[in-house]
Amino acid sequence: TSVNHNLKCIKMLFKAAKQHQIIEDNPAETVDTVRNVFAQKRRPFTMDELRLTLDAADEEWKSMILFGLYTGQRLSDIAALTWSNVDLKHDLLHFTTAKTGRAMNIPIAAPLRKHLDALPAPANLREPVHPKAHATAAKVGKTTTLSNQFADILAKAGLREWVEHGRTKQGRKAARAQSELSFHCLRHTAVTLMKEAGIPDAVVMEMVGHSSHQMSQHYTHVGKEALVKAAAVLPNLLEAPLDSQKGHKNRAIISAHKNRRVKMIRKKEA
């Protein structure tokens, strides 16, 4: 977490101060890291779960999901992308992460490039790639609303229960703790797929922007060719649909959950 990252920095400062005899004792030496009691166990999506999610999403959310899988980036950074961040000439995404301020240069995987080519050309490069998500994130100042929208997509796909958003803090946290899947799991999925394909840890970390106490950018340099290879191992969801039997089951699941949602709304209005 960000708290533990900051704590780690403070510990390093006090440790250095003691080593240089600026202080006699290190007050942070025995301070433990903070445990998040609401932390849920996240897991990667399966390929069928990803296809179910895509089928349940509208066009903009389909695009967001594809960006999440093929870049491994956070929801906030994907929502903030404008066409100025997209370099189609060199098949690269250039942006700075909101959470860590890290400059990223990510190869555009072939399926994502195909998706981008199919999108309408922007009038100017300052236009957001995902206008609705960009406006929502800018208005609220955080991604809570977008996270809730994605949770509803998962529910529509039959991958989690429907949740009434915004009732109480305890209710939201409890609901989040019960679900293993979220938009952030696309990041987990990208990492898992690359590692299973034999991509070295250092390359995976560079691709998704992970940082680690074990590997520092000061000592590990990852070239563009290695990143391109990492992007190439990700599966093509656009050309690998569910088989007909699973497709019928998929549509049945979505239809059933849609009908259930309508009944919930009508009951609430009554």
Side-chain angles (χ1 to χ4, degrees):
T1 65
S2 298
V3 173
N4 286 329
H5 175 74
N6 293 336
L7 180 58
K8 177 183 173 182
C9 294
I10 293 172
K11 283 188 171 185
M12 291 174 63
L13 289 173
F14 279 115
K15 183 179 180 180
K18 184 178 179 181
Q19 288 175 341
H20 289 82
Q21 298 181 342
I22 299 174
I23 58 176
E24 293 184 2
D25 298 313
N26 180 355
E29 192 171 12
T30 59
V31 178
D32 294 327
T33 55
V34 179
R35 179 174 175 270
N36 185 359
V37 296
F38 295 110
Q40 66 268 42
K41 181 181 178 181
R42 291 191 179 111
R43 65 169 177 84
F45 283 88
T46 66
M47 290 301 99
D48 280 349
E49 287 172 341
L50 284 172
R51 294 177 190 120
L52 285 169
T53 306
L54 283 172
D55 285 345
D58 63 21
E59 291 305 311
E60 180 165 299
W61 267 108
K62 284 180 182 177
S63 181
M64 299 269 285
I65 293 165
L66 292 174
F67 267 85
L69 176 65
Y70 291 117
T71 69
Q73 298 306 303
R74 299 178 180 89
L75 179 56
S76 58
D77 292 321
I78 293 173
L81 288 174
T82 65
W83 285 100
S84 63
N85 301 121
V86 182
D87 182 355
L88 293 177
K89 182 178 180 180
H90 300 98
D91 280 333
L92 287 171
L93 291 176
H94 308 283
F95 61 95
T96 301
T97 61
K99 184 175 182 179
T100 63
R102 182 172 180 172
M104 301 293 294
N105 296 286
I106 301 176
I108 299 175
L112 184 58
R113 173 60 196 248
K114 183 177 180 180
H115 165 70
L116 286 168
D117 288 340
L119 294 179
N124 64 74
L125 296 180
R126 290 176 295 179
E127 290 185 8
V129 179
H130 306 107
K132 294 179 182 177
H134 187 279
T136 299
K139 181 179 179 181
V140 180
K142 52 185 179 180
T143 59
T144 303
T145 300
L146 294 177
S147 295
N148 289 340
Q149 289 176 6
F150 187 71
D152 288 344
I153 293 172
L154 292 177
K156 184 179 177 183
L159 299 177
R160 64 168 291 167
E161 293 296 321
W162 284 104
V163 176
E164 292 294 329
H165 304 298
R167 299 183 71 179
T168 64
K169 288 186 177 180
Q170 182 180 0
R172 283 201 301 272
K173 290 178 178 177
R176 289 181 64 185
Q178 292 170 5
S179 178
E180 291 183 334
L181 292 175
S182 66
F183 192 90
H184 200 80
C185 291
L186 294 170
R187 186 173 172 89
H188 288 253
T189 307
V191 169
T192 300
L193 290 171
M194 285 188 282
K195 287 188 175 183
E196 287 179 349
I199 302 299
D201 284 351
V203 179
V204 176
M205 290 170 61
E206 183 73 14
M207 181 76 175
V208 301
H210 273 164
S211 59
S212 169
H213 65 282
Q214 295 176 333
M215 295 183 184
S216 169
Q217 280 187 299
H218 294 293
Y219 303 105
T220 305
H221 176 72
V222 177
K224 179 183 176 181
E225 288 186 8
L227 292 175
V228 171
K229 181 180 178 181
V233 304
L234 296 172
N236 189 348
L237 287 177
L238 300 178
E239 296 182 356
L242 291 166
D243 61 41
S244 58
Q245 183 177 356
K246 289 182 178 178
H248 289 308
K249 182 179 179 182
N250 170 21
R251 287 187 288 274
I253 289 173
I254 293 176
S255 177
H257 279 268
K258 183 178 180 181
N259 291 336
R260 181 183 174 189
R261 183 63 171 170
V262 170
K263 289 179 181 179
M264 289 174 60
I265 294 172
R266 287 176 177 173
K267 184 177 179 181
K268 188 176 180 180
E269 290 176 347

